Amino acid sequence: MMGQLPGGQQRLFYSFNLEGHVPPHHLLRSIDQCLDLSDLRAYLADFYSPIGRPSIDPELMVRMLVVGYCYGIRSERRLCEEVHLNLAYRWFCRLGLEDEVPNHSTFSKNRHGRFRDSDLFRWLFNEVLRRCMAAGLVKGEGFAVDASIIKADASRQRGVAGDEVDWRDPALRSRAVREYLEALDDEALAEALPKKISLTDPQSRWTAAPGGPAFFAYATNYLIDTEHGVIMDVEATPAHRTAEVDSTKTMVERVEAQFDLTPERLIGDTAYGTAPMLAWMVEEKDIEPHVPLWDKTERKDDSLSSNDFHWNQETNEYRCPAGKPLRSEWRTFTQKRSRVTKANTIIYRSSQTDCATCSLKAKCCPTEDRPQHP
């Protein structure tokens, strides 16, 4: 006999237990067993007023953000809708069936306000890491480092040349622009403006690192304990190789200061195989590098490489394959000059007279008048 759905939605009272409607092996049940937010209110106490109307419970907002992270819900508006509808999300956030979900604007105000001022997410990250360490999941002997490209929420059409922006224009005074200018003032950054900059998100960087068309992006840099793959630290930077490599120093030193852990070895790809980075690992931190060297000497064309030029310590000069010298200075000055560039290098140049008639000039410097060697 064909059944018929009873019209039971008009009942006034229900016998309902939210706990019984969340499967035993649900992801959020596993996270709930390990997530301890008992100290959260005490940590944030100084960032709330002792008087006035009670705010949204900060633990509720943190739990909702964990749900958004685990299930890839990037929009706070959509996150509020999902928590309102999904029983498992309500259970994890400690909400009953009749409890109201916070408005999405509450998240924006708290993220850009007290959550940022208190460095809440860093505190929460460290608390979770401490629980991992207490459970024996962190060995602390070997760390690995790498970066992932994260596309910025910035349109390609809003990108302009870095030297064409008038930052005094009131139309550009958005929150993202204000934070960018404040960072420039506070850190006194000496680097030049990038070739292309986003007026929507100036701190992002124009990159084509993943391949394909370029776009504005950030890099998330991870420091990972190799024993069980536990993330020890994370640092967001513009999608720029120099910033990504420098963030490794920040993360290693922060873990050392916070948890008194310094790895015996550090694993990374070729991007971390620069001379300054290797020197920092070996000489300053006594860390054994497991990193391929960043060797730029090999040539894909028929031109000469730096290995074809030989160093003479006694005369402080290089010799090219034709036997001609390359020197850092060709005349004596009354006041001695260091010759050290902003990139912390010394440039050795040949004599223009030697190069003018040299038979190897086409291979030596196909795009320049004469060779130079850093």
Side-chain angles (χ1 to χ4, degrees):
M1 183 177 63
M2 182 182 297
Q4 184 176 356
L5 184 68
Q9 292 186 341
Q10 303 301 321
R11 293 173 57 184
L12 183 60
F13 300 103
Y14 288 86
S15 176
F16 186 86
N17 183 4
L18 189 58
E19 176 75 23
H21 283 72
V22 181
H25 301 294
H26 197 282
L27 173 63
L28 293 179
R29 280 195 181 274
S30 301
I31 295 176
D32 188 63
Q33 294 175 1
C34 302
L35 185 62
D36 183 9
L37 298 177
S38 57
D39 296 329
L40 176 64
R41 297 178 65 86
Y43 178 79
L44 290 174
D46 293 339
F47 296 89
Y48 284 85
S49 173
I51 59 175
R53 189 179 67 175
S55 70
I56 302 296
D57 190 340
E59 180 176 347
L60 169 59
M61 288 188 284
V62 169
R63 286 181 173 272
M64 288 180 66
L65 290 174
V66 170
V67 169
Y69 174 79
C70 292
Y71 292 94
I73 306 174
R74 299 181 62 185
S75 166
E76 291 168 349
R77 187 186 297 270
R78 180 169 166 249
L79 175 61
C80 293
E81 293 174 353
E82 293 291 335
V83 172
H84 175 73
L85 295 172
N86 192 299
L87 294 180
Y89 296 173
R90 277 186 171 271
W91 172 86
F92 180 78
C93 295
R94 305 292 193 265
L95 290 172
L97 287 177
E98 298 180 349
D99 291 332
E100 186 177 352
V101 177
N103 188 274
H104 65 88
S105 61
T106 304
F107 283 98
S108 298
K109 187 171 183 180
N110 279 276
R111 276 196 304 107
H112 298 304
R114 57 173 61 94
F115 284 5
R116 175 176 293 185
D117 296 339
S118 64
D119 205 11
L120 171 65
F121 297 120
R122 175 64 60 182
W123 174 84
L124 180 60
F125 179 91
N126 289 338
E127 289 299 303
V128 174
L129 181 56
R130 285 191 179 92
R131 292 180 67 87
C132 293
M133 295 173 66
L137 297 177
V138 175
K139 195 170 183 180
E141 294 182 359
F143 288 174
V145 62
D146 202 2
S148 298
I149 300 296
I150 304 296
K151 188 175 182 180
D153 188 12
S155 171
R156 294 162 55 95
Q157 284 69 34
R158 289 279 289 169
V160 297
D163 55 358
E164 295 180 0
V165 183
D166 182 9
W167 299 111
R168 296 169 296 181
D169 185 355
L172 299 179
R173 287 293 177 171
S174 64
R175 176 185 55 81
V177 171
R178 288 198 305 271
E179 291 179 354
Y180 173 72
L181 296 177
E182 288 169 1
L184 289 178
D185 294 339
D186 294 343
E187 301 175 14
L189 297 178
E191 66 178 42
L193 288 172
K195 293 181 179 179
K196 192 168 185 178
I197 192 168
S198 169
L199 298 180
T200 306
D201 189 355
Q203 296 189 69
S204 61
R205 186 61 65 93
W206 184 251
T207 181
F215 55 91
F216 291 106
Y218 287 92
T220 50
N221 305 274
Y222 300 100
L223 188 68
I224 304 170
D225 184 84
T226 57
E227 183 68 13
H228 291 98
V230 175
I231 299 176
M232 301 298 296
D233 206 331
V234 62
E235 181 77 6
T237 63
H240 185 265
R241 177 168 289 177
T242 302
E244 294 169 11
V245 173
D246 289 343
S247 70
T248 304
K249 301 178 182 180
T250 301
M251 294 188 291
V252 169
E253 291 175 347
R254 189 158 50 202
V255 169
E256 182 180 13
Q258 190 76 24
F259 302 102
D260 195 25
L261 276 178
T262 303
E264 297 178 4
R265 57 188 180 275
L266 185 64
I267 304 169
D269 58 25
T270 310
Y272 304 90
T274 61
M277 186 65 191
L278 294 173
W280 176 82
M281 282 192 275
V282 175
E283 298 175 4
E284 294 188 30
K285 291 298 180 181
D286 195 24
I287 298 174
E288 180 181 325
H290 288 240
V291 179
L293 293 178
W294 192 4
D295 186 4
K296 285 184 159 185
T297 59
E298 295 185 4
R299 300 290 185 178
K300 296 181 180 180
D301 54 16
D302 196 31
S303 61
L304 300 176
S305 72
S306 60
N307 291 332
D308 296 314
F309 294 78
H310 301 286
W311 170 247
N312 190 321
Q313 180 70 34
E314 295 180 359
T315 58
N316 186 28
E317 66 182 22
Y318 282 92
R319 287 280 171 172
C320 72
K324 304 298 182 179
L326 284 78
R327 298 169 182 163
S328 59
E329 55 184 18
W330 283 87
R331 58 193 178 108
T332 305
F333 293 90
T334 305
Q335 186 175 358
K336 188 172 180 60
R337 304 183 181 185
S338 68
R339 299 293 179 180
V340 179
T341 66
K342 291 182 179 180
N344 200 29
T345 61
I346 298 177
I347 303 298
Y348 289 79
R349 293 184 173 89
S350 65
S351 167
Q352 193 168 4
T353 304
D354 292 336
C355 293
T357 58
C358 181
S359 60
L360 297 176
K361 183 178 179 180
K363 288 186 176 182
C364 184
C365 47
T367 60
E368 299 180 14
D369 292 335
R370 52 181 175 157
Q372 59 184 23
H373 198 297

